[in-house]
Amino acid sequence: MLRELVKRWAIYKVLGRWLSHFFSYLDRYFIAQGNLPRLNEVGLTCFRDLITKEREGEQVDRALLRNVLDIFVAIGMGQMDQYENDFEAAFLKDTVAYYSQKASIWILEDSCPDYMLKAEKCLRREKDGVSLYLHSSTEAKLLEKIQHEFLSVYVTQLLEKDNSQCHALVRDDKVEDLSRMSGLLFYLSKNKERFRLLFKIPRGIEPVSSLFKQYVTAEVTALVKQAEDAASNKKAEKKDMVGLQEQVFVRKVIELHEKYQAYVNDYHTFHKALKEAFEVFNKGVAGSSSAELLATFCDNILKKGSSWKLSDEDIEETLEKVVKLLDYISDKDLFAEFYRKKLAQRLLFDKSANDDHERSILTKIKRKCGGQFTSKMERMVTDLTLTRENQTSFEEYLSNNSHANPGIDLTVTVLTTGFWPSYKSFDLNLPPELVKCVKVFREFYQTKTKHRKLTWIYSLGTCNISGKFEPKTMELIVTTYQASALLLFNSSDRLSYSDIMTELNLTDNDIVRLLHSLSCAKYKILNKEPNTKTISPTDYFEFNSKFTDKMRRIKILLPPVDEKKKVIEDVDKDRLYAIDASIVRVMKSRKVLGHQQLVMECVEQLGHMFKPNLKAIKKRIDDLITRDYLERDKDNPNLFRYLA
């Protein structure tokens, strides 16, 4: 019957076309004037009335079925009513019944990945069928019905099936199976055809995203716990503990992030899940914040003698991965301050392994956090470049003014105030040899500019001095403080604690650190009375003329100072200024604003750098009111007005 129908339809189309030609004059003039239907439309209407509405879902010859279905489309005269009502509705109904039965069997028999694989094959087969014999408008409706039967109906059972197999898929890197579960990008063929399942059903990805978050959170938490356990192990040496915290731990976090970043791709739901999972890392380890850990990790990679033996390409790749982790750090301003401190140490003490890497990571951070974030650090690097040029000019000045030469090789690093971390600057009483050096450089600098003031930071200086001991003469690499103390013994055999303190004009804390490094540490350049391991104000010191070492050149370090507390204090102080500026910006643009909205807008403005404390914002508002930047409304105390 269908073959005969197609045959008759083909003949009918030919006859209809010829009749249209024969009576084209009527079509163009008579019908147009009388507002009557065209001859071809009348013919299609007659044929449409002959079509039966009963349809069966049996398989037929595809070419034949295509021709038959073309009739439904054609007799619709530009509308799809006949196709949709006479064929499509019944076809979709039968399809739902067929796949509902299949899904109910497979959900009981198959594992989660096998079930999803079968569903994927069915969807692909049906999609191919649309292009072969169905109208293209059926595709979306057909796939939606099948996805509903396979996925929407059983999504909860799938995720809970086989003791949450989704966790196992993530753990075992089953990217192909997980892509069917989550809609994550998966290339199915050489043509890289993308296929997403759960994204095509309402709220289908959310349960998978939730499981993904739970699993990644558990992995990050396990890493944090492992690092904390090692840090609290009393048997572990401090150096090993630091190595675990600052190097191994961060390295593992980077590797973990890269692993799961591959699953995220362009999907907001999974980006959010990954970010929330890595908030565990944001809390830090054993008293060290994540900001400090990342800054220290970068320092270890970028300084000379790094424990990570990496090629230039590996360094660049690792730095790129570190910068990605900044997304998960809420206290980005704290990272910036820790990083700036460590950058200063590398630049000032010639510990940076490669200038290109230093500039490269600043470029990466700038792209991630903005130009204001890295402006000070970039100026620090620029200062060092200018210092090299300045040193060349200074050496030319000395060669042209032989009377000015201090007789000592002198290198001075000129830093721009405001860009570098703040350092203590004491009026150290320099020995005569060093006083002359300072005077010569000041005279040189005044020839270049008369509008800048030089403030000497002796705590950062280093000196190479010659120690004439009885066994042999040795070169000692010491700080300016240590050199000033040792040179006192050229004119005195024995000095008390108070003598040294008075001569140098230093604080108790600095004197204790200084004398401990010279008399109680590895290299005992000074003998101390009494011979104890601690420094007290009643101690006396003498030059140890019998000191010796197998090396002819030794470096005497000062005991390290934990600057973490000062960094945090500096950041807290800067945050107060940032909150003040934010409040003023908001009020200047809004003029009048309620308390709640003002707080919300400040939090939004500052959130990219740190999470402002709500109590701190309230205190800053009160402070700005006392300083006449704002005033409270007389009738509504929760309403503020900006005072120009």
Side-chain angles (χ1 to χ4, degrees), residues 26 68 96 99 108 233 358 405 407 441-442 467 480 532 541 558 564 571 586 590 600 606:
L26 293 177
V68 172
V96 167
Y99 284 116
L108 297 175
N233 186 352
E358 295 286 4
N405 196 315
F441 187 83
R442 184 179 286 116
T480 304
T532 59
F541 301 87
L558 276 173
K564 183 190 300 186
V571 169
V586 172
R590 305 296 290 275
M600 288 174 59
L606 300 170

Side-chain angles (χ1 to χ4, degrees), residues 99-108 112 115-116 119 146-161 181 198 201 204 207:
Y99 284 116
S100 176
Q101 182 184 14
K102 290 288 187 185
S104 65
I105 296 172
W106 293 346
I107 194 67
L108 297 175
C112 181
Y115 179 94
M116 297 303 294
I146 299 172
Q147 287 156 6
H148 179 271
E149 295 305 317
F150 275 128
L151 304 174
S152 296
V153 174
Y154 297 110
V155 63
T156 303
Q157 290 166 260
L158 281 170
L159 296 177
E160 294 177 352
K161 193 174 180 62
M181 287 293 297
L198 292 181
I201 65 175

Side-chain angles (χ1 to χ4, degrees), residues 245-307:
Q245 288 182 354
E246 299 177 354
Q247 300 172 42
V248 178
F249 170 68
V250 177
R251 173 71 68 178
K252 288 182 178 179
V253 170
I254 290 172
E255 292 171 354
L256 194 68
H257 179 259
E258 286 300 302
K259 173 183 175 181
Y260 295 124
Q261 183 71 31
Y263 295 141
V264 171
N265 295 306
D266 301 323
Y267 303 121
H268 173 73
T269 308
F270 270 71
H271 268 295
K272 184 180 177 183
L274 189 65
K275 186 170 184 177
E276 290 174 354
F278 269 81
E279 283 183 357
V280 179
F281 168 67
N282 190 43
K283 297 175 183 177
V285 171
S288 296
S289 66
S290 56
E292 182 185 1
L293 291 174
L294 276 187
T296 305
F297 183 81
C298 292
D299 180 60
N300 190 267
I301 290 177
L302 293 169
K303 69 184 179 183
K304 292 177 180 177
S306 169
S307 57

Side-chain angles (χ1 to χ4, degrees), residues 337-345 421-422 563 566-567:
E337 191 61 22
F338 273 119
Y339 186 88
R340 196 161 67 104
K341 281 276 188 183
K342 295 181 182 301
L343 173 63
Q345 293 289 318
S422 58
E563 295 187 336
K566 185 177 184 304
V567 169

Side-chain angles (χ1 to χ4, degrees), residues 515-566:
L515 293 177
H516 188 279
S517 69
L518 296 174
S519 63
C520 302
K522 181 179 179 180
Y523 303 113
K524 293 179 174 57
I525 309 300
L526 301 178
N527 290 326
K528 184 176 82 71
E529 292 181 13
N531 187 15
T532 59
K533 294 291 185 182
T534 57
I535 303 295
S536 69
T538 58
D539 291 343
Y540 281 83
F541 301 87
E542 293 180 354
F543 176 65
N544 181 10
S545 60
K546 299 189 181 300
F547 172 80
T548 187
D549 190 84
K550 62 180 179 180
M551 306 295 291
R552 286 197 171 272
R553 190 170 186 261
I554 60 174
K555 185 173 186 179
I556 305 173
L557 301 174
L558 276 173
V561 177
D562 185 9
E563 295 187 336
K564 183 190 300 186
K565 183 179 179 181
K566 185 177 184 304

Side-chain angles (χ1 to χ4, degrees), residues 173-381:
D173 291 337
K174 299 292 186 182
V175 180
E176 296 184 13
D177 290 333
L178 190 64
S179 67
R180 298 185 183 99
M181 287 293 297
S182 62
L184 300 172
L185 195 59
F186 172 56
Y187 296 101
L188 296 172
S189 64
K190 292 180 181 178
N191 297 323
K192 297 183 179 179
E193 179 184 359
R194 294 177 178 180
F195 196 81
R196 302 167 178 88
L197 294 185
L198 292 181
F199 270 101
K200 296 183 180 293
I201 65 175
R203 302 176 66 85
I205 196 60
E206 292 182 8
V208 184
S209 173
S210 177
L211 281 176
F212 178 78
K213 174 187 168 183
Q214 291 174 28
Y215 182 79
V216 178
T217 301
E219 289 241 343
V220 179
T221 302
L223 281 182
V224 172
K225 188 176 185 306
Q226 180 185 1
E228 287 181 337
D229 289 345
S232 61
N233 186 352
K234 295 181 180 179
K235 295 180 181 179
E237 294 182 4
K238 187 176 180 181
K239 185 176 180 180
D240 295 334
M241 182 177 67
V242 171
L244 174 68
Q245 288 182 354
E246 299 177 354
Q247 300 172 42
V248 178
F249 170 68
V250 177
R251 173 71 68 178
K252 288 182 178 179
V253 170
I254 290 172
E255 292 171 354
L256 194 68
H257 179 259
E258 286 300 302
K259 173 183 175 181
Y260 295 124
Q261 183 71 31
Y263 295 141
V264 171
N265 295 306
D266 301 323
Y267 303 121
H268 173 73
T269 308
F270 270 71
H271 268 295
K272 184 180 177 183
L274 189 65
K275 186 170 184 177
E276 290 174 354
F278 269 81
E279 283 183 357
V280 179
F281 168 67
N282 190 43
K283 297 175 183 177
V285 171
S288 296
S289 66
S290 56
E292 182 185 1
L293 291 174
L294 276 187
T296 305
F297 183 81
C298 292
D299 180 60
N300 190 267
I301 290 177
L302 293 169
K303 69 184 179 183
K304 292 177 180 177
S306 169
S307 57
W308 299 103
K309 304 302 179 183
L310 302 174
S311 64
D312 288 345
E313 293 77 11
D314 290 337
I315 290 174
E316 285 296 314
E317 184 180 345
T318 303
L319 294 177
E320 187 73 47
K321 292 174 180 178
V322 170
V323 172
K324 286 181 182 178
L325 288 181
L326 286 178
D327 280 337
Y328 309 109
I329 294 181
S330 57
D331 298 329
K332 292 184 177 63
D333 57 344
L334 190 58
F335 166 82
E337 191 61 22
F338 273 119
Y339 186 88
R340 196 161 67 104
K341 281 276 188 183
K342 295 181 182 301
L343 173 63
Q345 293 289 318
R346 294 197 299 275
L347 296 178
L348 294 176
F349 299 109
D350 193 27
K351 291 182 179 180
S352 180
N354 188 305
D355 288 347
D356 291 338
H357 291 323
E358 295 286 4
R359 294 183 183 277
S360 175
I361 188 171
L362 291 181
T363 301
K364 291 176 172 61
I365 297 173
K366 187 176 182 178
R367 282 201 304 265
K368 175 70 71 175
C369 303
Q372 187 176 358
F373 193 87
T374 57
S375 59
K376 291 183 178 180
M377 304 176 203
E378 289 174 320
R379 284 301 303 266
M380 288 165 64
V381 176

